[in-house]
Amino acid sequence: MKKIIYTIAITSLLFACKESKTEENPKKDNNLITITNEQFQSSGMKIESPIEQDFDVAIAASGKIDVPPQNRAQVTSFIGGFVKSTQLLVGDKVTKGQVLLTLENTEYLDIQKDYLEVSEQIKYLKSEFERQKTLYDEKISSQKNYLKAESDYKKALGMYQSLRAKLQLLNINPSNVEKGKLTSVVTIYAPISGDIVIMNANVGMPVAPSDVMLEIVNTNDLHLELSVFEKDILKVKMGQKISFTVPEATKEVFDAEVHLVGKSIEGNDRTINVHAHLADNIKQKLLPGMFVEAKIKINSKKGLAIPTEALITENNKNFVLLLDNNKNNIFSFKKVAVNVGQKSEKAVEIIPSNQINASSKILTKGVFDVAE
């Protein structure tokens, strides 16, 4: 008997809990969602009418963070060799003229030896050329001897200047070579200041003239390179404001401004390049090569706005909860489809219709608690 009474008590308790739980959830009947005043208050819900506000009219674009060509340098060697020494890593900062690495090759010695020989010959050939010119002018020597001396001197002079330029490209001082100070090691210096983003050189590694040993990027002049479709390009003007995000890195919204607009359509996708400048206070947060999604603000318009959180999106359709009536401490809402226009960070434009206008009462807070 006690067991039967205990079972009945438990069953009654469970049934009562179930009823209580059911009462706590919104009820859906005849396409209406009903909420008690207690539920409305406890969930912090809010009912508001759409308000008129300004919306930015924008066109979508995508692109990347980049630097000007003069702020990016690929370091190669005029003549290949073997890496003798380097102490740099990706991420290291370097200044223009700083030693990056040294290369070693016997070919450097061959160039210096040839230069030294020519530099010695040229002194004699110049002297002989000047002597023959004097003799020819005085009708003492033949024109043949004069022309041969001139040819030999100019040929040697061309070789001398060519080898001297090669030494300078290898950062070898020609004056030291003329003094007999030859070296098999050349030093590679940084052509610009910046950060090392690529490091392909290891000690002992052979390097060919076409090999990129390092890449240096100066991030002091970061900018946006955007691609805008042909249908939108006539709307883009210099000075227009841009808001953009880096989807893979952060949700933060950054600002920029259109600086240059391309003059020709490129590629099969029919796009035009737009160059934009960044605000100085955000450059430290960004890196070259980051992919961005941007909106170029081309105009502004007034429209009816509701908070973004008031909009329900299902199967690529948009809805709001429209207040149908409020009687006996019961709120009744109707799920109404709406067309949306422009969007901002916190609001969305809804297009007026037969069911939605400026006087409509819409649930703007606690929507997802009701819609689930």
Side-chain angles (χ1 to χ4, degrees):
M1 185 68 178
K2 289 182 179 180
K3 186 176 181 180
I4 295 173
I5 294 173
Y6 178 76
T7 302
I8 293 173
I10 293 296
T11 304
S12 300
L13 181 62
L14 291 174
F15 182 74
C17 290
K18 184 176 181 181
E19 283 189 334
S20 176
K21 184 176 181 180
T22 302
E23 289 178 357
E24 290 177 356
N25 294 325
K27 294 182 179 180
K28 297 182 181 180
D29 186 26
N30 296 326
N31 295 323
L32 293 179
I33 300 173
T34 59
I35 304 169
T36 66
N37 187 60
E38 290 77 11
Q39 292 170 339
F40 188 91
Q41 297 295 335
S42 63
S43 297
M45 297 179 181
K46 194 173 183 179
I47 296 173
E48 296 176 296
S49 295
I51 60 172
E52 188 177 70
Q53 75 171 50
D54 290 327
F55 283 94
D56 292 321
V57 179
I59 59 175
S62 61
K64 65 178 181 177
I65 306 292
D66 207 349
V67 295
Q70 65 269 24
N71 282 30
R72 184 186 296 273
Q74 292 184 331
V75 180
T76 59
S77 174
F78 170 64
I79 296 177
F82 292 86
V83 179
K84 182 176 177 62
S85 65
T86 183
Q87 297 179 344
L88 298 172
L89 297 171
V90 171
D92 282 340
K93 290 185 177 294
V94 296
T95 57
K96 184 176 181 179
Q98 178 180 331
V99 174
L100 299 177
L101 51 82
T102 59
L103 297 178
E104 189 171 29
N105 193 341
T106 56
E107 190 175 346
Y108 308 148
L109 291 172
D110 295 337
I111 296 173
Q112 294 169 80
K113 180 175 67 67
D114 292 342
Y115 174 78
L116 187 59
E117 290 176 356
V118 172
S119 66
E120 292 297 326
Q121 290 175 6
I122 203 167
K123 295 175 184 177
Y124 165 75
L125 293 173
K126 182 180 180 182
S127 175
E128 180 63 15
F129 164 65
E130 291 174 347
R131 190 178 74 85
Q132 288 294 335
K133 184 176 186 304
T134 301
L135 293 175
Y136 174 71
D137 291 341
E138 295 177 358
K139 309 298 183 181
I140 298 174
S141 179
S142 67
Q143 184 181 29
K144 179 180 178 182
N145 291 337
Y146 163 65
L147 292 177
K148 183 178 185 307
E150 181 183 32
S151 175
D152 291 344
Y153 169 64
K154 289 186 176 180
K155 180 190 286 187
L157 182 61
M159 182 67 70
Y160 172 82
Q161 292 173 337
S162 174
L163 291 170
R164 187 180 181 87
K166 283 186 178 182
L167 291 177
Q168 291 172 334
L169 286 172
L170 290 169
N171 298 315
I172 296 175
N173 190 339
S175 298
N176 289 338
V177 177
E178 290 176 11
K179 295 175 183 177
K181 298 178 181 178
L182 278 61
T183 178
S184 63
V185 178
V186 298
T187 303
I188 306 297
Y189 299 96
I192 62 172
S193 297
D195 301 304
I196 295 178
V197 295
I198 294 176
M199 181 66 181
N200 293 328
N202 300 315
V203 174
M205 177 179 135
V207 176
S210 59
D211 292 340
V212 176
M213 297 179 288
L214 301 93
E215 184 170 337
I216 303 171
V217 173
N218 186 333
T219 58
N220 289 336
D221 194 17
L222 289 179
H223 62 256
L224 278 185
E225 291 293 339
L226 300 175
S227 295
V228 176
F229 286 108
E230 180 181 6
K231 65 181 179 65
D232 295 321
I233 195 59
L234 294 180
K235 304 171 187 174
V236 180
K237 310 292 181 185
M238 288 178 58
Q240 289 174 334
K241 301 299 181 182
I242 298 174
S243 60
F244 69 94
T245 59
V246 183
E248 299 299 323
T250 177
K251 294 181 180 179
E252 186 175 355
V253 179
F254 302 103
D255 295 322
E257 183 177 296
V258 176
H259 184 67
L260 293 172
V261 180
K263 301 300 181 183
S264 64
I265 298 172
E266 304 293 341
N268 296 328
D269 53 359
R270 308 289 294 175
T271 60
I272 294 178
N273 188 65
V274 172
H275 174 97
H277 283 181
L278 303 176
D280 289 336
N281 61 332
I282 67 172
K283 290 182 179 180
Q284 299 301 320
K285 301 179 181 180
L286 303 171
L287 296 172
M290 282 181 162
F291 172 79
V292 304
E293 293 180 349
K295 291 183 178 180
I296 304 174
K297 302 172 186 177
I298 59 172
N299 206 342
S300 64
K301 59 174 285 190
K302 291 187 178 296
L304 291 181
I306 60 172
T308 303
E309 60 182 326
L311 193 69
I312 304 170
T313 302
E314 295 177 353
N315 300 322
N316 295 322
K317 294 183 178 180
N318 298 299
F319 302 89
V320 296
L321 294 182
L322 178 67
L323 181 65
D324 187 70
N325 61 67
N326 179 13
K327 296 178 181 178
N328 302 321
N329 290 326
I330 299 294
F331 294 88
S332 297
F333 295 94
K334 183 187 298 183
K335 192 174 181 179
V336 177
V338 292
N339 293 320
V340 301
Q342 302 297 322
K343 296 181 181 180
S344 65
E345 187 177 352
K346 296 182 179 180
V348 60
E349 178 192 10
I350 56 172
I351 309 302
S353 64
N354 292 334
Q355 293 181 292
I356 300 293
N357 53 52
S359 60
S360 300
K361 301 296 182 182
I362 295 172
L363 186 64
T364 59
K365 193 171 182 180
V367 172
F368 291 100
D369 293 333
V370 176
E372 290 179 353

